[in-house]
């Protein structure tokens, strides 16, 4: 026999699909043999008692096809099957690690819970930017509402849209869903509203029309804590308090009083301070002279504030 032409059989316990080829991966895991009950028990005990990683690998590999099968149930959420399989595999490995062979159940039954739990968590985190389900009851409603809604619509396909309720279901169907899932009818309506809501881009697209609605980023942004604005706000506060006081101290007594009386004093009735003519009478000079002193004082204050900025 020509050894060069011989075909070396591939170990069925190895998965070597083409890079990035999901179909090849699925074909590979389907080719991995299933374990007999006794073999599964022995491998599980080796893992538990001896921490045998080779046994763990055999247990995981023999159930990869289960993850593929379960992932197909969640293809309607717009997420890549490859990602669903990846998350399901994480759940499978958690199940293998926690599996007790003395409980009298097969690993396949035990692992289904962990696989679905991991896929559910992934869907809830990625299906919408805003979480649609947070409590246990909301999660149950989220994953069952879609299938129940399609089931009820199929039963009454001839119903006119005008007779449908807010959730796209008749009032009777809303109550049927609520009863079956043990939630309030209001919860059914709210969840359907969340699921039906379209995603909105946070920032405007490059080709958006000028007449298009303002993107959320334009009115949701909080720039109060932006560093430049914080520095500017701090500087304004300083100018309105310590800065003005320091600038006034640079003036002689007469110039300081003129500025204070003209700009910083407020009468009880809300009116301004003294007029040019009032101050002219106090100092025995003309109103024009008071205006000149005021202008020189303001110039000196601006210079002082600039130097301290």
């Amino acid at each position: 026999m020509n050894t060069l032409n011989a075909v070396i059989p591939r170990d069925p316990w190895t998965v070597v699909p083409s890079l990035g080829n999901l179909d090849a991966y699925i074909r590979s895991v389907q080719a991995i043999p299933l374990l007999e009950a006794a073999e599964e028990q022995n491998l599980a005990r080796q893992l538990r008692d001896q921490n045998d990683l080779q046994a763990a690998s055999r247990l995981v590999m023999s159930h990869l096809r289960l993850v593929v099968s379960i992932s197909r149930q969640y293809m309607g959420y717009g997420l890549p099957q490859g990602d669903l399989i990846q998350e399901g595999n994480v759940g499978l490995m958690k199940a293998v690690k926690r599996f007790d062979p003395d409980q009298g159940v097969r690993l396949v039954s035990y692992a289904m819970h962990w696989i679905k739990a991991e896929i559910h968590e992934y869907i809830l985190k990625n299906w919408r930017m805003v979480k649609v389900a947070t409590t246990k009851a909301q999660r149950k409603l989220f994953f069952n509402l879609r299938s129940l809604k399609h089931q009820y619509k199929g039963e009454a396909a001839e119903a006119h849209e005008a007779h449908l309720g807010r959730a796209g279901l008749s009032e009777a169907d809303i109550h049927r869903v609520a009863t079956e899932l043990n939630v309030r009818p209001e919860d059914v309506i709210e969840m359907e509203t969340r699921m039906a809501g379209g995603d909105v881009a946070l920032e405007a697209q490059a080709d958006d029309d000028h007449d298009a609605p303002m993107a959320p980023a334009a009115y949701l942004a909080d720039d109060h804590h932006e560093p430049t604005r914080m520095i500017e706000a701090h500087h304004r506060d300083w100018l309105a308090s310590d800065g003005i006081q320091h600038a006034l101290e640079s003036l002689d007594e007469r110039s300081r009083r003129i500025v204070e009386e003209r700009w910083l004093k407020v009468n009880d009735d809300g009116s301004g301070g003294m007029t040019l003519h009032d101050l002219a009478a106090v100092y025995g000079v003309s109103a024009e002279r008071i205006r000149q002193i005021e202008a020189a004082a303001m110039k000196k204050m601006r210079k002082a504030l600039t130097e301290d900025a």
Side-chain angles (χ1 to χ4, degrees):
M1 179 177 180
N2 188 346
T3 57
L4 293 178
N5 296 326
V7 177
I8 301 176
R10 183 172 64 86
D11 184 354
W13 291 100
T14 61
V15 179
V16 191
S18 301
L19 184 62
N21 192 324
L22 181 60
D23 291 335
Y25 170 83
I26 294 176
R27 287 194 300 271
S28 297
V29 300
Q30 295 290 354
I32 297 175
L34 298 175
L35 296 174
E36 297 292 339
E39 187 178 7
E40 178 179 290
Q41 292 283 310
N42 291 334
L43 290 171
R45 288 191 175 92
Q46 290 176 31
L47 172 61
R48 182 192 63 187
D49 302 335
Q50 306 170 23
N51 195 29
D52 188 340
L53 297 184
Q54 185 65 29
S57 176
R58 293 281 294 272
L59 290 170
V60 170
M61 299 283 282
S62 64
H63 289 80
L64 290 177
R65 67 175 68 194
L66 173 64
V67 177
V68 173
S69 176
I70 292 176
S71 71
R72 293 195 179 103
Q73 303 173 20
Y74 299 93
M75 293 296 291
Y77 294 96
L79 298 172
Q81 186 182 12
D83 291 350
L84 296 173
I85 292 175
Q86 178 174 289
E87 296 300 320
N89 286 344
V90 173
L92 172 60
M93 288 185 284
K94 290 181 178 180
V96 168
K97 181 179 180 180
R98 294 168 173 80
F99 180 60
D100 184 354
D102 296 330
Q103 290 296 320
V105 297
R106 294 295 301 268
L107 177 57
V108 62
S109 301
Y110 181 75
M112 288 181 66
H113 164 76
W114 289 92
I115 295 170
K116 289 183 177 181
E118 208 69 28
I119 293 177
H120 286 186
E121 190 68 24
Y122 171 74
I123 292 174
L124 290 174
K125 287 181 178 179
N126 295 276
W127 193 66
R128 283 282 188 265
M129 182 178 294
V130 179
K131 290 184 178 180
V132 296
T134 54
T135 67
K136 183 177 180 180
Q138 286 177 331
R139 292 184 178 207
K140 181 179 179 181
L141 177 57
F142 175 81
F143 285 106
N144 288 277
L145 179 57
R146 174 173 296 187
S147 59
L148 288 175
K149 185 174 67 172
H150 288 314
Q151 173 187 333
Y152 297 156
K153 282 187 175 182
E155 294 173 356
E158 71 279 2
H160 193 275
E161 286 294 327
H163 298 292
L164 297 181
R166 288 172 53 195
L169 297 168
S170 67
E171 292 296 328
D173 287 339
I174 291 174
H175 286 280
R176 287 175 64 186
V177 173
T179 301
E180 187 164 342
L181 299 180
N182 194 28
V183 296
R184 300 178 305 167
E186 293 82 2
D187 294 333
V188 177
I189 295 174
E190 180 183 358
M191 181 57 68
E192 174 60 14
T193 301
R194 293 188 190 185
M195 294 175 66
D199 293 327
V200 178
L202 183 63
E203 297 182 349
Q205 303 302 309
D207 57 350
D208 277 354
D209 194 328
H210 292 293
D211 297 330
M214 184 181 299
Y219 55 83
L220 291 179
D222 180 10
D223 56 6
H224 291 85
H225 295 88
E226 196 272 326
T228 303
R229 288 184 174 272
M230 291 179 67
I231 294 174
E232 292 176 350
H234 177 74
H235 186 62
R236 286 195 301 270
D237 293 341
W238 179 83
L239 288 177
S241 54
D242 296 342
I244 295 296
Q245 184 62 34
H246 179 72
L248 287 171
E249 291 174 356
S250 67
L251 303 177
D252 59 78
E253 182 178 350
R254 182 177 64 173
S255 298
R256 179 173 180 174
R257 182 184 177 188
I258 290 175
V259 172
E260 290 178 339
E261 292 291 347
R262 289 276 290 148
W263 299 102
L264 302 179
K265 293 289 182 69
V266 179
N267 297 326
D268 294 337
D269 59 359
S271 60
M274 300 176 67
T275 64
L276 293 175
H277 293 283
D278 293 335
L279 289 168
V282 171
Y283 288 104
V285 296
S286 65
E288 176 59 21
R289 178 56 183 157
I290 295 296
R291 188 195 65 76
Q292 294 173 355
I293 295 174
E294 177 188 25
M298 298 294 283
K299 181 178 180 180
K300 189 173 183 179
M301 288 180 65
R302 279 194 295 270
K303 181 179 179 181
L305 290 172
T306 302
E307 292 175 350
D308 293 335

